[in-house]
Amino acid sequence: AQKVTQAQTEISVVEKEDVTLDCVYETRDTTYYLFWYKQPPSGELVFLIRRNSFDEQNEISGRYSWNFQKSTSSFNFTITASQVVDSAVYFCALIPGGGADGLTFGKGTHLIIQP
Amino acid sequence: GAGVSQSPRYKVAKRGQDVALRCDPISGHVSLFWYQQALGQGPEFLTYFQNEAQLDKSGLPSDRFFAERPEGSVSTLKIQRTQQEDSAVYLCASTDYPRDEQFFGPGTRLTVL
């Protein structure tokens, strides 16, 4: 069984601040995939990134960056120079490399960017 | 192209009624997933189809929940004798390959009174 923990229930920052959302996972699989999704107030889940367990290279996409560390089973997400439009609930998720499981999601972090 | 669509978007049912929720995946997507999202929680896996075959239904909470995808495209999630604890948003997702990005629909918000 897999488990994803997002310990930060809610984070509130002022616009232009940097913010990091934490994600810690547990799995017995050697091959797995990690994801981040954004859920804005409209409710639809929006894909942000997918990373496989063999690729620990960090990734940057514009103001977004991800830090994957297998040694600590963490896959943290940083938003640089946050904007009001970044306000949403962010979910970290995991799926094993084989089998017929679906995604295992964390409980989500509600990010509030104040103007 | 069109994304994943779900209908109805909102459903209110009286306790004990049966409901049917529809999912139209992205055309050609082999894999289809159903998730249940309770208020303030992350989505929880219910069941997975590869084409018309239901490969995993381990997440269905009770035998009142039933899902089908008879022709390998549209899927229906049916809940019999609804209970208040069934109130949630039901999300459908599809993808080409089950380990790739899943594309989510807008969800159906079910409220059981």
Side-chain angles (χ1 to χ4, degrees):
Chain A
Q2 291 71 236
K3 184 178 180 181
V4 175
T5 301
Q6 296 179 253
Q8 305 149 309
T9 304
E10 183 174 290
I11 300 175
S12 181
V13 300
V14 177
E15 198 172 20
K16 298 183 183 176
E17 286 186 15
D18 299 348
V19 59
T20 295
L21 308 183
D22 297 333
C23 173
V24 174
Y25 62 91
E26 297 175 29
T27 180
R28 294 184 178 179
D29 294 273
T30 54
T31 303
Y32 51 90
Y33 299 85
L34 295 165
F35 298 78
W36 276 93
Y37 279 87
K38 174 181 180 179
Q39 190 172 45
S42 60
E44 198 151 340
L45 282 161
V46 178
F47 167 79
L48 296 177
I49 190 171
R50 168 184 177 268
R51 172 68 78 220
N52 76 56
S53 53
F54 296 105
D55 181 3
E56 288 193 70
Q57 191 169 18
N58 292 331
E59 181 158 340
I60 298 175
S61 176
R63 296 184 297 107
Y64 295 171
S65 62
W66 291 268
N67 182 355
F68 176 29
Q69 293 195 341
K70 286 181 74 172
S71 60
T72 56
S73 297
S74 65
F75 186 43
N76 296 338
F77 171 33
T78 297
I79 301 175
T80 302
S82 59
Q83 300 177 1
V84 172
V85 293
D86 296 327
S87 297
V89 180
Y90 290 85
F91 291 99
C92 180
L94 178 151
I95 196 168
D101 303 64
L103 288 164
T104 296
F105 284 86
K107 291 185 182 298
T109 296
H110 184 198
L111 178 63
I112 301 168
I113 310 298
Q114 300 182 26
Chain B
V4 178
S5 62
Q6 293 185 245
S7 60
R9 291 293 312 280
Y10 303 90
K11 177 69 179 177
V12 179
K14 292 183 179 179
R15 190 170 55 182
Q17 283 185 333
D18 298 349
V19 298
L21 313 180
R22 177 186 169 107
C23 172
D24 285 81
I26 292 173
S27 178
H29 276 187
V30 168
S31 300
L32 185 145
F33 298 82
W34 283 98
Y35 296 85
Q36 179 190 60
Q37 186 175 19
L39 189 63
Q41 302 295 314
E44 292 193 358
F45 169 73
L46 295 178
T47 187
Y48 163 57
F49 288 87
Q50 184 171 308
N51 295 307
E52 69 277 6
Q54 188 175 22
L55 298 188
D56 189 339
K57 54 181 181 179
S58 62
L60 295 175
S62 77
D63 58 8
R64 297 185 295 103
F65 287 71
F66 171 76
E68 60 183 5
R69 194 186 185 198
E71 297 178 357
S73 55
V74 171
S75 177
T76 304
L77 176 67
K78 298 179 179 178
I79 309 174
Q80 297 176 326
R81 304 181 304 280
T82 52
Q83 303 295 314
Q84 283 188 321
E85 60 264 28
D86 300 336
S87 295
V89 175
Y90 290 85
L91 297 167
C92 175
S94 72
T95 185
D96 270 337
Y97 173 65
R99 271 54 193 159
D100 279 347
E101 166 195 355
Q102 292 184 20
F103 294 85
F104 283 81
T108 295
R109 181 177 297 277
L110 173 65
T111 303
V112 182
L113 302 176

